[in-house]
Amino acid sequence: MTYLTPQQTYCLRQHLRQVGTPELLMDELIDYLACQAEERMSHGLSFEQALAMIRREATALSVRHLQHTLIRQGALPRTSFWRHPARFTKREKAAFGLIQPVRSTLLIGAFLSVMLTGWLLASRGLAIPVGLVASLLCPLLLLLFLQGLRHTRSHQRTSLVRHPALREEYVRRPAPRKRALVTR
Amino acid sequence: MDSSTTEYLRGTLKTIVLGLLAEKDRMYGYEITQAVKERTRGEIVLTFGSLYPLLYKLEQESLVRTESEEVEGRLRKYYVLTLTGRQTARQKLLDFTHFTQLMNRLMQLPLTLSTPPSPDATGL
């Protein structure tokens, strides 16, 4: 019997994360898929081939269907559309992949434009007041930029953008039931 | 697995899983899938999408309890029948045997259907 290496198991975990598997189901599905991969590998397939087959079977759709069924049964806590892990990962990527470079570019742009304006005005004989303003503004903008960078790093380190399943407010929350309303 | 098998399976999946769990001390998800596949010679293959909702439901109904154990660096969840689960399994299997006997009596293949109908037959 072939057994998966920790790296191969990690690949399965990554795949399940990508398709938005809830944390509560993660360990069980990893074991299920790992057993499936091991069986296929013992029949002569490579891990990559087994993984490709698993990817075709354990799709985002099938995992979401399982999740919804379990939520309907009350076995899993209800996760709103906005807090869906897959969506959250996208939001995280957008936050750190797009917003930060745009912010940095704007700051650098503002810094350069102030320098340029200062130089232009100085050439017309307003050297002293403009030079003063520019010399005050430039370090200020530089400080803001550095603060922005530090904020980004602390943001990543303290992980304010945490995975929904790890947040306290996402602990087991029973699904609201129509039955409860009916019996009242 | 054709659509009619899936249709019949939907109503009997609980009995199948309870029956399998009754034969062994404990089983994990993939083991159940494999047992079904082997016994039906690959004709019935359960997916995790159909198996886990049932296992979680059985757990909610206190018919099974779970035991987690680390195997090969992974956390494996075993399902064990409770006393109520054992009684339910026995009852379900008896009911199902009785039901299949009734169906066998009821669903005798009529002589008119023993051969496939020809496309020429208009039925008039």
Side-chain angles (χ1 to χ4, degrees), chain A residues 28 31 34-35 38-39 73, chain B residues 30 52-53 56 74 76 79:
Chain A
E28 191 149 29
D31 186 52
C35 288
E38 283 169 354
E39 199 216 339
Q73 285 180 9
Chain B
Y30 190 71
Y52 284 112
Y56 277 66
R74 309 189 290 262
R76 182 165 289 170
Y79 293 86

Side-chain angles (χ1 to χ4, degrees), chain A residues 25-40:
Chain A
L25 279 176
M26 191 62 90
D27 285 326
E28 191 149 29
L29 284 189
I30 283 174
D31 186 52
Y32 185 93
L33 297 181
C35 288
Q36 210 170 35
E38 283 169 354
E39 199 216 339
R40 283 170 183 167

